[in-house]
Amino acid sequence: MSRILDLIPSPTPLREQCLVYDLKARLDWGEPALTIIDVRDRNQFNTSHILGAVPMPLNQLVERARASLELNRDIYIYGESDEESAIAAAKLRASGYINVSQIRGGLPAWKAVGYPIEGIPFPSNFYR
């Protein structure tokens, strides 16, 4: 039996930074014990976000995470830029979260390879 298990591919283990392919492989694997966090502002989140991501703006991130996520939860995080993602990940790690990975390239990288997104596309003049 163990020989069969050795043949079954498993997703890449969680690292401090990951590529969109790593997250997608894990989602396709069907492993539900993870959370995807979008730290961009609410308007950006509403317009478009990674399918299944939850909004936690950077200024409320730690408080909202503490209220809803266990410290050992696997967390994938992205923001407006890789720098914002790094700041968010550092905040979570500093508050005790162990398994935090920044999604390199964030939403633009996710979209570039055609992975599923959701949101409400607003006309370009909607916020004027």
Side-chain angles (χ1 to χ4, degrees):
M1 180 71 160
S2 67
R3 296 184 117 212
I4 292 173
L5 294 177
D6 291 340
L7 298 174
I8 299 171
S10 59
T12 306
L14 189 83
R15 297 184 306 243
E16 284 192 16
Q17 291 187 4
C18 73
L19 299 174
V20 294
Y21 307 105
D22 300 323
L23 174 56
K24 183 69 164 88
R26 187 149 177 210
L27 292 170
D28 289 347
W29 183 257
E31 196 172 337
L34 64 89
T35 299
I36 305 167
I37 297 176
D38 183 326
V39 297
R40 300 173 305 144
D41 73 45
R42 190 58 179 223
N43 289 334
Q44 291 172 311
F45 176 85
N46 288 341
T47 300
S48 180
H49 57 271
I50 294 175
L51 184 67
V54 293
M56 291 191 189
L58 192 57
N59 63 345
Q60 302 170 2
L61 175 62
V62 173
E63 296 80 19
R64 294 191 59 197
R66 286 283 192 169
S68 60
L69 301 173
E70 296 174 2
L71 292 175
N72 63 348
R73 180 80 172 175
D74 285 0
I75 298 171
Y76 291 83
I77 196 161
Y78 69 96
E80 179 68 21
S81 65
D82 284 344
E83 292 78 20
E84 185 177 53
S85 299
I87 291 167
K91 282 184 170 198
L92 287 179
R93 289 183 192 112
S95 68
Y97 285 89
I98 302 163
N99 304 316
V100 180
S101 184
Q102 302 160 232
I103 304 170
R104 290 181 44 205
L107 185 62
W110 188 264
K111 286 179 174 181
V113 292
Y115 290 156
I117 59 168
E118 59 187 347
I120 304 167
F122 293 106
S124 59
N125 63 353
F126 182 79
Y127 293 110
R128 290 185 191 169

